Amino acid sequence: MMRLRAISAKESTRRHVLAVAGLAVTTGLAGCQDEGDGDDSGATEREEGADGSDGSGGGDDGETAPESLAPPEGTSESGIDDTAALVDATRQALTENGYDLEQELVNTAGGEETLSVTQQRRSSLASERRLFVFDASTETNRIYIEGRTQYVRGTSNGETIVESRELERDFAGTHPPEMLNDGESLGGILRIGTYVPTETVQRNGRRLLRFELDSADESGISGRVTEATGSVFVDTESVVHEANMSLEIEDNDGQIVTVAQSFVVHQLGEISVERPDWVDETDWSEG
């Protein structure tokens, strides 16, 4: 049964947007999208990982260089050969484990920020709890799932709606992250150009092979790429634990545009998800 309390004149439009846990945004890169697939009031702090690490996803585990890692499936000594294989392996790992995933997209044009979006997903199979946090300059969305019950709180231009409903699928069906292959997510970072392997690093008890962006593919970009940087960290099972890229583009009008994206798995394994305060503080009764 759906229980809704609205505080918005744009309720029908907002409800449609909030129905999708992973929201698509425009990157400013024409043709790069794939046809596939503050006061946070609920996001939990990064906690110690299941392997005893701090769960931050960054930093080496000491001064000793790790043993070199052989290129996993989807990669070779020449670079990343099969982006779909890396996306699929990452999706499977996140589906089978608890995870803490963060993605960010920032665009600028002429030195002015035109878009800034952060998405955080924290999900636990053990406790059947999942929290999605979406922050942008014009809106914030919170979606919390506990078992088969979904709670939503969204604010845009000072107007807020809240909603709760029972889901048709069990938690295992809502646990996997959405749209990993899209241009605004991991798939877009991997497809942006050619990556070459550089070194093996140790992070959070795992050996990861690091790839660096060698050149950007300009075929789907409106303009000329003047600067391109990026890194991808892949484990022995072809799971991507971190990926980031940054492009500086001179568009057809001579304006400088920058696009920066990041994808970070802060934790993978057994994690906890706290019930947000706003869920308990909201009156979910009809009316």
Side-chain angles (χ1 to χ4, degrees), residues 87-115:
V87 172
D88 290 343
T90 305
R91 181 187 294 110
Q92 181 177 350
L94 295 173
T95 298
E96 296 176 350
N97 295 276
Y99 61 83
D100 183 354
L101 169 64
E102 183 173 6
Q103 300 182 85
E104 187 174 23
L105 170 64
V106 178
N107 288 2
T108 67
E112 298 291 330
E113 186 175 284
T114 58
L115 178 68

PDB file of all heavy atoms in Angstrom, residues 87-115:
ATOM      1  N   VAL A  87      32.688  -3.951 -16.296  1.00  0.00           N
ATOM      2  CA  VAL A  87      31.410  -3.499 -15.737  1.00  0.00           C
ATOM      3  C   VAL A  87      30.624  -4.684 -15.190  1.00  0.00           C
ATOM      4  O   VAL A  87      30.067  -4.629 -14.085  1.00  0.00           O
ATOM      5  CB  VAL A  87      30.587  -2.744 -16.795  1.00  0.00           C
ATOM      6  CG1 VAL A  87      29.176  -2.455 -16.264  1.00  0.00           C
ATOM      7  CG2 VAL A  87      31.274  -1.436 -17.181  1.00  0.00           C
ATOM      8  N   ASP A  88      30.579  -5.785 -15.949  1.00  0.00           N
ATOM      9  CA  ASP A  88      29.825  -6.966 -15.515  1.00  0.00           C
ATOM     10  C   ASP A  88      30.406  -7.566 -14.247  1.00  0.00           C
ATOM     11  O   ASP A  88      29.667  -7.960 -13.327  1.00  0.00           O
ATOM     12  CB  ASP A  88      29.801  -8.017 -16.625  1.00  0.00           C
ATOM     13  CG  ASP A  88      28.943  -7.596 -17.812  1.00  0.00           C
ATOM     14  OD1 ASP A  88      28.130  -6.667 -17.659  1.00  0.00           O
ATOM     15  OD2 ASP A  88      29.088  -8.206 -18.888  1.00  0.00           O
ATOM     16  N   ALA A  89      31.746  -7.652 -14.164  1.00  0.00           N
ATOM     17  CA  ALA A  89      32.385  -8.214 -12.979  1.00  0.00           C
ATOM     18  C   ALA A  89      32.139  -7.332 -11.760  1.00  0.00           C
ATOM     19  O   ALA A  89      31.914  -7.833 -10.644  1.00  0.00           O
ATOM     20  CB  ALA A  89      33.883  -8.373 -13.219  1.00  0.00           C
ATOM     21  N   THR A  90      32.176  -6.023 -11.961  1.00  0.00           N
ATOM     22  CA  THR A  90      31.924  -5.095 -10.860  1.00  0.00           C
ATOM     23  C   THR A  90      30.477  -5.189 -10.399  1.00  0.00           C
ATOM     24  O   THR A  90      30.199  -5.221  -9.187  1.00  0.00           O
ATOM     25  CB  THR A  90      32.246  -3.656 -11.295  1.00  0.00           C
ATOM     26  OG1 THR A  90      33.591  -3.591 -11.776  1.00  0.00           O
ATOM     27  CG2 THR A  90      32.079  -2.688 -10.141  1.00  0.00           C
ATOM     28  N   ARG A  91      29.554  -5.254 -11.337  1.00  0.00           N
ATOM     29  CA  ARG A  91      28.143  -5.385 -10.991  1.00  0.00           C
ATOM     30  C   ARG A  91      27.895  -6.670 -10.206  1.00  0.00           C
ATOM     31  O   ARG A  91      27.152  -6.681  -9.212  1.00  0.00           O
ATOM     32  CB  ARG A  91      27.273  -5.371 -12.246  1.00  0.00           C
ATOM     33  CG  ARG A  91      25.770  -5.477 -11.952  1.00  0.00           C
ATOM     34  CD  ARG A  91      24.946  -5.631 -13.208  1.00  0.00           C
ATOM     35  NE  ARG A  91      24.995  -4.452 -14.051  1.00  0.00           N
ATOM     36  CZ  ARG A  91      25.621  -4.411 -15.223  1.00  0.00           C
ATOM     37  NH1 ARG A  91      26.259  -5.483 -15.679  1.00  0.00           N
ATOM     38  NH2 ARG A  91      25.613  -3.307 -15.937  1.00  0.00           N
ATOM     39  N   GLN A  92      28.505  -7.776 -10.621  1.00  0.00           N
ATOM     40  CA  GLN A  92      28.318  -9.043  -9.929  1.00  0.00           C
ATOM     41  C   GLN A  92      28.853  -8.988  -8.503  1.00  0.00           C
ATOM     42  O   GLN A  92      28.215  -9.475  -7.566  1.00  0.00           O
ATOM     43  CB  GLN A  92      29.004 -10.173 -10.701  1.00  0.00           C
ATOM     44  CG  GLN A  92      28.836 -11.549 -10.051  1.00  0.00           C
ATOM     45  CD  GLN A  92      29.454 -12.660 -10.876  1.00  0.00           C
ATOM     46  OE1 GLN A  92      29.859 -12.454 -12.023  1.00  0.00           O
ATOM     47  NE2 GLN A  92      29.530 -13.854 -10.307  1.00  0.00           N
ATOM     48  N   ALA A  93      30.033  -8.385  -8.325  1.00  0.00           N
ATOM     49  CA  ALA A  93      30.621  -8.276  -6.988  1.00  0.00           C
ATOM     50  C   ALA A  93      29.743  -7.434  -6.072  1.00  0.00           C
ATOM     51  O   ALA A  93      29.549  -7.774  -4.893  1.00  0.00           O
ATOM     52  CB  ALA A  93      32.019  -7.677  -7.078  1.00  0.00           C
ATOM     53  N   LEU A  94      29.203  -6.341  -6.585  1.00  0.00           N
ATOM     54  CA  LEU A  94      28.339  -5.482  -5.775  1.00  0.00           C
ATOM     55  C   LEU A  94      27.009  -6.158  -5.488  1.00  0.00           C
ATOM     56  O   LEU A  94      26.405  -5.949  -4.421  1.00  0.00           O
ATOM     57  CB  LEU A  94      28.105  -4.156  -6.500  1.00  0.00           C
ATOM     58  CG  LEU A  94      29.346  -3.271  -6.690  1.00  0.00           C
ATOM     59  CD1 LEU A  94      29.024  -2.079  -7.567  1.00  0.00           C
ATOM     60  CD2 LEU A  94      29.905  -2.814  -5.352  1.00  0.00           C
ATOM     61  N   THR A  95      26.529  -6.972  -6.410  1.00  0.00           N
ATOM     62  CA  THR A  95      25.264  -7.677  -6.224  1.00  0.00           C
ATOM     63  C   THR A  95      25.383  -8.758  -5.158  1.00  0.00           C
ATOM     64  O   THR A  95      24.437  -9.005  -4.399  1.00  0.00           O
ATOM     65  CB  THR A  95      24.808  -8.311  -7.551  1.00  0.00           C
ATOM     66  OG1 THR A  95      24.598  -7.276  -8.517  1.00  0.00           O
ATOM     67  CG2 THR A  95      23.514  -9.093  -7.385  1.00  0.00           C
ATOM     68  N   GLU A  96      26.548  -9.403  -5.068  1.00  0.00           N
ATOM     69  CA  GLU A  96      26.731 -10.525  -4.165  1.00  0.00           C
ATOM     70  C   GLU A  96      27.245 -10.121  -2.788  1.00  0.00           C
ATOM     71  O   GLU A  96      27.331 -10.965  -1.893  1.00  0.00           O
ATOM     72  CB  GLU A  96      27.698 -11.535  -4.794  1.00  0.00           C
ATOM     73  CG  GLU A  96      27.164 -12.162  -6.081  1.00  0.00           C
ATOM     74  CD  GLU A  96      28.171 -13.076  -6.745  1.00  0.00           C
ATOM     75  OE1 GLU A  96      29.357 -13.071  -6.313  1.00  0.00           O
ATOM     76  OE2 GLU A  96      27.793 -13.781  -7.694  1.00  0.00           O
ATOM     77  N   ASN A  97      27.575  -8.849  -2.603  1.00  0.00           N
ATOM     78  CA  ASN A  97      28.145  -8.389  -1.334  1.00  0.00           C
ATOM     79  C   ASN A  97      27.478  -7.103  -0.870  1.00  0.00           C
ATOM     80  O   ASN A  97      26.832  -6.400  -1.649  1.00  0.00           O
ATOM     81  CB  ASN A  97      29.649  -8.114  -1.498  1.00  0.00           C
ATOM     82  CG  ASN A  97      30.452  -9.358  -1.797  1.00  0.00           C
ATOM     83  OD1 ASN A  97      30.839 -10.085  -0.894  1.00  0.00           O
ATOM     84  ND2 ASN A  97      30.705  -9.613  -3.074  1.00  0.00           N
ATOM     85  N   GLY A  98      27.685  -6.775   0.399  1.00  0.00           N
ATOM     86  CA  GLY A  98      27.339  -5.446   0.850  1.00  0.00           C
ATOM     87  C   GLY A  98      28.338  -4.466   0.249  1.00  0.00           C
ATOM     88  O   GLY A  98      29.474  -4.832  -0.042  1.00  0.00           O
ATOM     89  N   TYR A  99      27.926  -3.217   0.070  1.00  0.00           N
ATOM     90  CA  TYR A  99      28.835  -2.262  -0.562  1.00  0.00           C
ATOM     91  C   TYR A  99      28.534  -0.837  -0.147  1.00  0.00           C
ATOM     92  O   TYR A  99      27.428  -0.497   0.282  1.00  0.00           O
ATOM     93  CB  TYR A  99      28.765  -2.374  -2.094  1.00  0.00           C
ATOM     94  CG  TYR A  99      27.400  -2.082  -2.680  1.00  0.00           C
ATOM     95  CD1 TYR A  99      26.966  -0.779  -2.932  1.00  0.00           C
ATOM     96  CD2 TYR A  99      26.526  -3.120  -2.998  1.00  0.00           C
ATOM     97  CE1 TYR A  99      25.719  -0.519  -3.466  1.00  0.00           C
ATOM     98  CE2 TYR A  99      25.274  -2.873  -3.535  1.00  0.00           C
ATOM     99  CZ  TYR A  99      24.874  -1.575  -3.769  1.00  0.00           C
ATOM    100  OH  TYR A  99      23.618  -1.315  -4.292  1.00  0.00           O
ATOM    101  N   ASP A 100      29.553  -0.005  -0.282  1.00  0.00           N
ATOM    102  CA  ASP A 100      29.456   1.440  -0.082  1.00  0.00           C
ATOM    103  C   ASP A 100      30.053   2.071  -1.331  1.00  0.00           C
ATOM    104  O   ASP A 100      31.262   2.023  -1.542  1.00  0.00           O
ATOM    105  CB  ASP A 100      30.225   1.848   1.174  1.00  0.00           C
ATOM    106  CG  ASP A 100      30.101   3.336   1.488  1.00  0.00           C
ATOM    107  OD1 ASP A 100      29.512   4.066   0.669  1.00  0.00           O
ATOM    108  OD2 ASP A 100      30.603   3.762   2.539  1.00  0.00           O
ATOM    109  N   LEU A 101      29.199   2.635  -2.169  1.00  0.00           N
ATOM    110  CA  LEU A 101      29.600   3.128  -3.487  1.00  0.00           C
ATOM    111  C   LEU A 101      29.295   4.610  -3.598  1.00  0.00           C
ATOM    112  O   LEU A 101      28.223   5.070  -3.218  1.00  0.00           O
ATOM    113  CB  LEU A 101      28.822   2.358  -4.566  1.00  0.00           C
ATOM    114  CG  LEU A 101      28.890   2.876  -6.012  1.00  0.00           C
ATOM    115  CD1 LEU A 101      30.307   2.783  -6.546  1.00  0.00           C
ATOM    116  CD2 LEU A 101      27.919   2.087  -6.889  1.00  0.00           C
ATOM    117  N   GLU A 102      30.249   5.364  -4.133  1.00  0.00           N
ATOM    118  CA  GLU A 102      30.065   6.806  -4.321  1.00  0.00           C
ATOM    119  C   GLU A 102      30.463   7.199  -5.736  1.00  0.00           C
ATOM    120  O   GLU A 102      31.479   6.745  -6.258  1.00  0.00           O
ATOM    121  CB  GLU A 102      30.894   7.590  -3.315  1.00  0.00           C
ATOM    122  CG  GLU A 102      30.692   9.107  -3.407  1.00  0.00           C
ATOM    123  CD  GLU A 102      31.400   9.864  -2.297  1.00  0.00           C
ATOM    124  OE1 GLU A 102      32.139   9.224  -1.521  1.00  0.00           O
ATOM    125  OE2 GLU A 102      31.219  11.086  -2.207  1.00  0.00           O
ATOM    126  N   GLN A 103      29.635   8.038  -6.363  1.00  0.00           N
ATOM    127  CA  GLN A 103      29.918   8.542  -7.702  1.00  0.00           C
ATOM    128  C   GLN A 103      29.736  10.057  -7.718  1.00  0.00           C
ATOM    129  O   GLN A 103      28.860  10.588  -7.037  1.00  0.00           O
ATOM    130  CB  GLN A 103      28.978   7.910  -8.729  1.00  0.00           C
ATOM    131  CG  GLN A 103      29.082   6.403  -8.797  1.00  0.00           C
ATOM    132  CD  GLN A 103      28.180   5.806  -9.857  1.00  0.00           C
ATOM    133  OE1 GLN A 103      28.544   5.717 -11.021  1.00  0.00           O
ATOM    134  NE2 GLN A 103      26.979   5.402  -9.453  1.00  0.00           N
ATOM    135  N   GLU A 104      30.565  10.718  -8.515  1.00  0.00           N
ATOM    136  CA  GLU A 104      30.489  12.178  -8.599  1.00  0.00           C
ATOM    137  C   GLU A 104      30.677  12.619 -10.039  1.00  0.00           C
ATOM    138  O   GLU A 104      31.442  12.026 -10.794  1.00  0.00           O
ATOM    139  CB  GLU A 104      31.553  12.823  -7.714  1.00  0.00           C
ATOM    140  CG  GLU A 104      31.421  14.346  -7.621  1.00  0.00           C
ATOM    141  CD  GLU A 104      32.395  14.946  -6.624  1.00  0.00           C
ATOM    142  OE1 GLU A 104      33.424  14.314  -6.332  1.00  0.00           O
ATOM    143  OE2 GLU A 104      32.125  16.059  -6.141  1.00  0.00           O
ATOM    144  N   LEU A 105      29.957  13.658 -10.405  1.00  0.00           N
ATOM    145  CA  LEU A 105      30.055  14.254 -11.738  1.00  0.00           C
ATOM    146  C   LEU A 105      30.048  15.762 -11.583  1.00  0.00           C
ATOM    147  O   LEU A 105      29.152  16.329 -10.953  1.00  0.00           O
ATOM    148  CB  LEU A 105      28.870  13.812 -12.610  1.00  0.00           C
ATOM    149  CG  LEU A 105      28.686  14.518 -13.953  1.00  0.00           C
ATOM    150  CD1 LEU A 105      29.857  14.240 -14.878  1.00  0.00           C
ATOM    151  CD2 LEU A 105      27.384  14.056 -14.615  1.00  0.00           C
ATOM    152  N   VAL A 106      31.062  16.420 -12.154  1.00  0.00           N
ATOM    153  CA  VAL A 106      31.165  17.883 -12.076  1.00  0.00           C
ATOM    154  C   VAL A 106      31.491  18.425 -13.459  1.00  0.00           C
ATOM    155  O   VAL A 106      32.455  17.975 -14.095  1.00  0.00           O
ATOM    156  CB  VAL A 106      32.240  18.335 -11.069  1.00  0.00           C
ATOM    157  CG1 VAL A 106      32.338  19.854 -11.057  1.00  0.00           C
ATOM    158  CG2 VAL A 106      31.928  17.807  -9.672  1.00  0.00           C
ATOM    159  N   ASN A 107      30.696  19.380 -13.932  1.00  0.00           N
ATOM    160  CA  ASN A 107      30.936  20.056 -15.205  1.00  0.00           C
ATOM    161  C   ASN A 107      31.170  21.538 -14.962  1.00  0.00           C
ATOM    162  O   ASN A 107      30.532  22.149 -14.090  1.00  0.00           O
ATOM    163  CB  ASN A 107      29.721  19.925 -16.135  1.00  0.00           C
ATOM    164  CG  ASN A 107      29.551  18.517 -16.685  1.00  0.00           C
ATOM    165  OD1 ASN A 107      30.301  17.615 -16.351  1.00  0.00           O
ATOM    166  ND2 ASN A 107      28.550  18.342 -17.519  1.00  0.00           N
ATOM    167  N   THR A 108      32.072  22.127 -15.748  1.00  0.00           N
ATOM    168  CA  THR A 108      32.235  23.571 -15.735  1.00  0.00           C
ATOM    169  C   THR A 108      32.259  24.074 -17.176  1.00  0.00           C
ATOM    170  O   THR A 108      32.618  23.340 -18.101  1.00  0.00           O
ATOM    171  CB  THR A 108      33.531  24.004 -15.034  1.00  0.00           C
ATOM    172  OG1 THR A 108      34.658  23.567 -15.805  1.00  0.00           O
ATOM    173  CG2 THR A 108      33.624  23.425 -13.638  1.00  0.00           C
ATOM    174  N   ALA A 109      31.907  25.321 -17.358  1.00  0.00           N
ATOM    175  CA  ALA A 109      31.968  25.964 -18.672  1.00  0.00           C
ATOM    176  C   ALA A 109      32.426  27.401 -18.461  1.00  0.00           C
ATOM    177  O   ALA A 109      31.821  28.144 -17.677  1.00  0.00           O
ATOM    178  CB  ALA A 109      30.611  25.934 -19.372  1.00  0.00           C
ATOM    179  N   GLY A 110      33.494  27.793 -19.138  1.00  0.00           N
ATOM    180  CA  GLY A 110      34.028  29.139 -18.973  1.00  0.00           C
ATOM    181  C   GLY A 110      34.444  29.439 -17.553  1.00  0.00           C
ATOM    182  O   GLY A 110      34.382  30.587 -17.095  1.00  0.00           O
ATOM    183  N   GLY A 111      34.861  28.398 -16.809  1.00  0.00           N
ATOM    184  CA  GLY A 111      35.309  28.595 -15.435  1.00  0.00           C
ATOM    185  C   GLY A 111      34.200  28.573 -14.411  1.00  0.00           C
ATOM    186  O   GLY A 111      34.471  28.627 -13.210  1.00  0.00           O
ATOM    187  N   GLU A 112      32.934  28.478 -14.854  1.00  0.00           N
ATOM    188  CA  GLU A 112      31.800  28.461 -13.944  1.00  0.00           C
ATOM    189  C   GLU A 112      31.220  27.048 -13.855  1.00  0.00           C
ATOM    190  O   GLU A 112      31.041  26.374 -14.867  1.00  0.00           O
ATOM    191  CB  GLU A 112      30.703  29.433 -14.408  1.00  0.00           C
ATOM    192  CG  GLU A 112      31.135  30.890 -14.460  1.00  0.00           C
ATOM    193  CD  GLU A 112      31.377  31.468 -13.082  1.00  0.00           C
ATOM    194  OE1 GLU A 112      30.708  31.001 -12.125  1.00  0.00           O
ATOM    195  OE2 GLU A 112      32.234  32.366 -12.950  1.00  0.00           O
ATOM    196  N   GLU A 113      30.938  26.601 -12.638  1.00  0.00           N
ATOM    197  CA  GLU A 113      30.359  25.275 -12.451  1.00  0.00           C
ATOM    198  C   GLU A 113      28.933  25.253 -12.994  1.00  0.00           C
ATOM    199  O   GLU A 113      28.101  26.071 -12.620  1.00  0.00           O
ATOM    200  CB  GLU A 113      30.362  24.906 -10.969  1.00  0.00           C
ATOM    201  CG  GLU A 113      29.898  23.485 -10.683  1.00  0.00           C
ATOM    202  CD  GLU A 113      30.021  23.123  -9.225  1.00  0.00           C
ATOM    203  OE1 GLU A 113      31.154  22.860  -8.766  1.00  0.00           O
ATOM    204  OE2 GLU A 113      28.973  23.133  -8.547  1.00  0.00           O
ATOM    205  N   THR A 114      28.656  24.314 -13.886  1.00  0.00           N
ATOM    206  CA  THR A 114      27.328  24.197 -14.477  1.00  0.00           C
ATOM    207  C   THR A 114      26.558  22.991 -13.961  1.00  0.00           C
ATOM    208  O   THR A 114      25.337  22.933 -14.088  1.00  0.00           O
ATOM    209  CB  THR A 114      27.434  24.085 -16.009  1.00  0.00           C
ATOM    210  OG1 THR A 114      28.237  22.952 -16.354  1.00  0.00           O
ATOM    211  CG2 THR A 114      28.058  25.352 -16.595  1.00  0.00           C
ATOM    212  N   LEU A 115      27.265  22.044 -13.384  1.00  0.00           N
ATOM    213  CA  LEU A 115      26.603  20.842 -12.873  1.00  0.00           C
ATOM    214  C   LEU A 115      27.492  20.185 -11.828  1.00  0.00           C
ATOM    215  O   LEU A 115      28.704  20.055 -12.020  1.00  0.00           O
ATOM    216  CB  LEU A 115      26.349  19.842 -14.012  1.00  0.00           C
ATOM    217  CG  LEU A 115      25.696  18.507 -13.632  1.00  0.00           C
ATOM    218  CD1 LEU A 115      24.256  18.738 -13.181  1.00  0.00           C
ATOM    219  CD2 LEU A 115      25.736  17.535 -14.803  1.00  0.00           C
TER     220      LEU A 115
END
